[in-house]
Amino acid sequence: MRTTLYALLLCLLLLALLPACEQNDDDDDDANDDDDDDGAQGEQYCPLAEPLADGRARAGRIGCEMELIGGQRARGEVGDYKIYNSHIELIVRSTDKPGVCFNRYSGNLIDADRARPPREPGQDNLLGVDQVVSGHTSPL
């Protein structure tokens, strides 16, 4: 029940960010595509690692390590979810993985940092966020 609730909440959050997401034609199936790689091999494409302009937001499942935040307390892994814009980056624990640190359940915010230029190391110091209702951990 709790996993289903977290998955639903995550989906609602991702849907709220969807209107601000960029649309890229990166399929390289025709001459009219708008990306720059034209099928270049060798480098893995990591769309959640690209910096965004002001007013833009992006969310999705992390597919490569370059998309992770990094830092002293970073706990994000490939398969978790990243939500970010030009100011902040957040990692939410995938519901198919166990919780981290003191969080017994997955689906929680586990990493956060300000948006940094490409290749600058992350500085996540967030241990995790757990749900608290009336001073008690929520039993959901």
Side-chain angles (χ1 to χ4, degrees):
M1 174 76 174
R2 185 178 183 112
T3 301
T4 304
L5 179 63
Y6 283 135
L8 178 63
L9 290 174
L10 180 61
C11 287
L12 290 174
L13 180 61
L14 294 176
L15 284 174
L17 291 173
L18 189 61
C21 291
E22 295 179 351
Q23 298 276 335
N24 288 327
D25 177 17
D26 59 358
D27 57 6
D28 294 320
D29 62 353
D30 60 23
N32 297 323
D33 63 0
D34 63 359
D35 61 345
D36 295 330
D37 69 352
D38 293 325
Q41 301 295 318
E43 284 191 36
Q44 184 177 8
Y45 179 61
C46 302
L48 298 177
E50 296 175 357
L52 298 177
D54 282 343
R56 308 297 280 173
R58 187 177 288 163
R61 192 169 190 130
I62 297 170
C64 62
E65 290 190 14
M66 284 181 49
E67 296 172 335
L68 296 169
I69 292 176
Q72 181 177 344
R73 292 187 173 175
R75 299 291 186 262
E77 300 174 355
V78 172
D80 289 334
Y81 293 90
K82 182 175 182 178
I83 304 167
Y84 74 109
N85 61 24
S86 61
H87 304 287
I88 189 169
E89 299 180 351
L90 306 168
I91 304 286
V92 175
R93 185 59 150 187
S94 174
T95 57
D96 59 349
K97 296 180 180 183
V100 297
C101 300
F102 57 85
N103 295 323
R104 297 180 300 174
Y105 305 101
S106 55
N108 294 316
L109 179 64
I110 58 171
D111 293 336
D113 192 15
R114 68 176 178 85
R116 297 179 183 276
R119 310 236 190 287
E120 181 178 326
Q123 298 295 321
D124 171 53
N125 281 308
L126 179 70
L127 191 57
V129 175
D130 200 6
Q131 298 75 30
V132 176
V133 178
S134 301
H136 302 285
T137 303
S138 107
L140 297 175

